[in-house]
Amino acid sequence: MVARPRSGHRSCPGGIAISARHSRTHVPSIAEAGAWADVLVHHQLLHTAVLTPTGQWLVQHRPESSVRVLDGATAMVDLAAAIQRQIRTTRNDTR
């Protein structure tokens, strides 16, 4: 029997992934992604985030960690959302 994704979920390689909490109403701009990158670095949630001429982002969580390549503005905004979810989950666990 093949597992079918439940409502609100989408298929992904290796199983079922939970979809975003809110569906995207627009594609994030480079300016929006840049603003999120600045906030993440300012609050020390990322060590660095650099936009390349190709539109990719190079991000590093800590000075000693490896550099990740994010493919465009959407990936940067998705990373910011994932970090926010992680902070909220951690905050709720410690209460």
Side-chain angles (χ1 to χ4, degrees):
M1 180 173 155
V2 176
R4 302 247 187 257
R6 292 180 283 166
S7 176
H9 293 73
R10 59 177 160 53
S11 294
C12 72
I16 296 174
I18 298 172
S19 62
R21 290 182 184 257
H22 302 286
S23 58
R24 203 176 295 287
T25 58
H26 69 284
V27 176
S29 67
I30 291 175
E32 181 180 359
W36 276 112
D38 288 345
V39 167
L40 294 172
V41 171
H42 176 77
H43 289 282
Q44 299 177 352
L45 298 169
L46 284 179
H47 173 66
T48 192
V50 177
L51 177 62
T52 68
T54 62
Q56 294 177 317
W57 288 87
L58 305 177
V59 298
Q60 193 175 21
H61 287 276
R62 293 178 307 280
E64 67 279 358
S65 65
S66 58
V67 174
R68 289 179 54 194
V69 179
L70 302 180
D71 192 27
T74 300
M76 174 55 79
V77 173
D78 288 346
L79 176 62
I83 290 171
Q84 287 179 325
R85 281 191 300 273
Q86 181 181 8
I87 290 168
R88 287 186 190 122
T89 301
T90 305
R91 187 181 308 147
N92 289 338
D93 289 346
T94 60
R95 286 185 184 178

